[in-house]
Structures are given as structure tokens and as C-alpha cells.
Amino acid sequence: MSYQIAVLAGDGIGPEVMAQARKVLTAVEQRFGLAMEYAEYDVGGIAIDNHGCPLPASTLAGCEAADAILFGSVGGPKWEKLPPNEQPERGALLPLRGHFGLFSNLRPAKLHQGLEHLSPLRADISAKGFDVLCVRELTGGIYFGKPKGRQGEGESEEAFDTMRYSCAEIRRIAHIAFEAARGRRGKVTSVDKANVLACSVLWREVVEQVASEYPDVELEHIYIDNATMQLLRRPWDFDVMLCSNLFGDILSDEIAMLTGSMGLLSSASINSSGFGLYEPAGGSAPDIAGMGIANPVAQILSAALMLRHSLQQEEAAAAIERAVGKALADGFFTCELLAPEQRDNAKTTAEMGDYIANAIREGV
Ligand SMILES: NC(=O)C1=CN([C@@H]2O[C@H](COP(=O)(O)OP(=O)(O)OC[C@H]3O[C@@H](n4cnc5c(N)ncnc54)[C@H](O)[C@@H]3O)[C@@H](O)[C@H]2O)C=CC1
Ligand SMILES: CC(C)CC(=O)C(=O)O
Ligand SMILES: [Mg+2]
């Protein structure tokens, strides 16, 4: 049997880091005797250029026929003047998440050995570590709520978004967080703004109900503004962070930087059948696109999440994670992980991919 993977590299650094994930998957196939077939589709800005829309029907059909989607990133300055609904992010990524019901977004951030010096908390974080799983609700909240739009003209013009959550939406993502905590350090921190937002009051109530089914898991609530601050002050105290769509989007960039770089944070977006889209948590990084210096680790670790969550290939997933750990512990760093005066020693995107793929072939 062979797995069918829809590969949507997208824009900016997407194709560069995707090429490295493909190298690593080839090494995994060889070592573990897996058979994977890849079909590439345009998405985002490149799809606008080639097909006139960010999510062509052929791309959606390819995703529907696949066992999993490996996604790069979309967007960039070239397309940002288009009407919002036609832009790569609003026109491709959010519709894909909605179409497949990918409500559960897992973003695991951990401090790798060898990168402790990059954390803003250097000394403490090297002693106490940092290992957080952001569980983000991905198909509801203010990113999807209707109505949304603009009305009026001139100085009377106004814009509006709607934040909306149902009990069922909150309950199902809360269960994901509590189940995950059971396999980790047994603590859920639920992030909200219940002192202001009606959605957050409901969020808190439903999370409390779900918590009563998990007496072995500790629950704490924290307001989003305080969460951003406490993460910088005592990041080691957090285990699973349960977030709505907007708050998880913001907090996940912060936890990425606590580990050293946006280019390290992987992401799994999964539906109730286990089908998933796997992508780096960051974007298309137009500031470094085409330079061969982007960090491919987030894309490579996203491939590991695909193997674990959609293809049930835990051994192969764990091998990728060990190979990434070895590369970083061996001091194999792309330039954003190095101080400016050390960047002559930086590895390119391709060199990182080669090193990780070789480590897998050599049996790490
Ligand atoms: N999932 C997706 O496709 C996402 C797309 N975007 C889109 O990407 C474009 C750029 O957005 P930004 O806000 O600048 O966020 P971004 O995540 O693309 O970049 C933020 C910063 O992180 C750095 N960075 C990101 N990934 C990196 C990597 N792999 N290696 C080294 N450095 C890396 C960038 O160079 C930049 O300095 C926009 O069009 C945005 O809408 C943003 C977030 C997610
Ligand atoms: C289009 C955005 C919601 C993508 C993003 O920033 C993310 O998923 O982290
Ligand atoms: Mg984001």
C-alpha cells in the first residue's frame, strides 16, 4: 500500500523548505520501507498567477483524493493589494481549513539542546527547559465568524468581524487538549479574555465542564494579555495551552521565538476523522525568500507530524524528530539561529535538509 500525499508548497520560502521535507521523507521511505506518492498542486499566490484563483478546483480535488496534505506557506507582497477574499491567505488557507473541518491545530514547541542561548531567558530556560503544546481551535472564532466586512463611505466607513463560538466547537477542542495533557505533564492552561468577551465566558464554562471528565489533569485559566507576559517570565510552567483561533495564532509565534526561531515551529491541523494538513506555523517569509537561507526544520517537523497523526507511522516520525535534534545539537544552524558575527558559518536551507536526511539514512 502506498500513501498519497498532496504537496502544496505555495509561495515565498514554501518551495525552498518543502524541497527539504521531500528529501527527508525520501530518506524515511528508504529506511522504514514506506511507499509514498506525491502529487504537487499550486496554492496561494502561485495559483493566482497560474490559474487566476488562490485555491483552484484541481488543487482541492487533489487534496480530497490524498491521505494527507503537506503545505508550505502562502502570501506575499505581490498579492496583498488584491481584495481580501481573493488574497492567498483568506482565499486558500482558511477555505482549506474550513473545507476539511480541520478544527484541531497542534503546535508543539520545545527547546532543542544547543539552542538554549537563543532564548530570551537564557540561563533559566537552559536549566528548566521549555516544552509546550499549543492546542488551537482552527475553524471557528473571529477568523470564520459571519458577518464580516465593511460598510459606509469616507469617514463613516466601518469594518467589522464577528467572534462566535458554539459549545460543541469549544468542547471538541478542549477534549483534544485534555487528552494531549494526559500524555504529557498533565496540565492544561486555557487562554481567554473572559473579563471582556462573551465568547470567552462561554469558553471558560465549557472548558470547566470538560475538565471534570479529566480529574487527573490540572486546569488553570489565564487571560491572553497575561499569558503573553507569563510565557516570557516563566515559560517552563506551561504544558498544554488551549487557545481559540485568534489567541492561538498570536501565542504560537511567541512560543516559536521562545525556542529560537519561527522556522522551528511545526503544525498539524486535523479533523475528526484524522485527516490533516501539515504546515510550518510561520508564513512565506518574503524578507528571506529566494536566498536559500530559510530554516527548513518547521517544514520537516510538520512532515513528522503527518507521519504520526495521519499515517500512523510513529517510528518514522520519531526518527525525523531525532534527526532534527541531532542536527541542532551538532551546531548545524541556519543563519537566523546565529549572531550576525557568526553567520559566515551558517548552513543553507539545502545543507540542513541534506544533513537531516543523511542522519535518518544512517539510523539516528
Ligand atoms: N500559513 C501560512 O501560509 C501563513 C502565511 N502568512 C503570510 O506570509 C506573509 C509574511 O508574513 P509575516 O507576518 O512576515 O510572517 P512570517 O512568518 O512569514 O515571517 C515573520 C518573520 O519570521 C521569519 N521566518 C519565518 N519563517 C522562517 C523560516 N523558516 N526560517 C527563518 N526565518 C523565518 C521571517 O523571515 C520574518 O522575519 C504574509 O503574506 C502573511 O499573510 C503568515 C502566516 C502564516
Ligand atoms: C492566514 C493566517 C491565519 C495563518 C496564520 O497566521 C497561522 O495559521 O498561524
Ligand atoms: Mg500565525
Side-chain angles (χ1 to χ4, degrees), residues 228-245:
T228 60
M229 192 265 274
Q230 298 301 342
L231 260 172
L232 292 178
R233 188 167 160 238
R234 47 178 184 92
W236 41 83
D237 278 350
F238 296 95
D239 179 12
V240 174
M241 301 193 79
L242 168 60
C243 303
S244 62
N245 204 342

Side-chain angles (χ1 to χ4, degrees), residues 13 71 73-76 89 93 97 261-263 279 281-288 294-295 336:
I13 62 168
F71 192 96
S73 49
V74 291
E89 304 84 339
L93 185 54
R97 290 173 179 172
S261 164
M262 200 63 233
E279 61 169 329
S284 60
D287 53 337
I288 56 167
N295 192 335
E336 94 287 6

Side-chain angles (χ1 to χ4, degrees), residues 6 56 61 87 120 151 156 161 170 184 219-220 223 230 245 250 252 264 267 272-274 292 301 308 310 339 353 359:
Q87 286 176 13
Q151 62 189 19
S156 310
D161 294 282
I170 301 166
R184 294 171 52 95
L219 169 67
E220 69 176 6
Y223 297 135
Q230 298 301 342
N245 204 342
I250 296 166
S252 56
L264 296 169
S267 158
S272 47
S273 315
L301 289 177
R308 171 171 299 127
S310 284

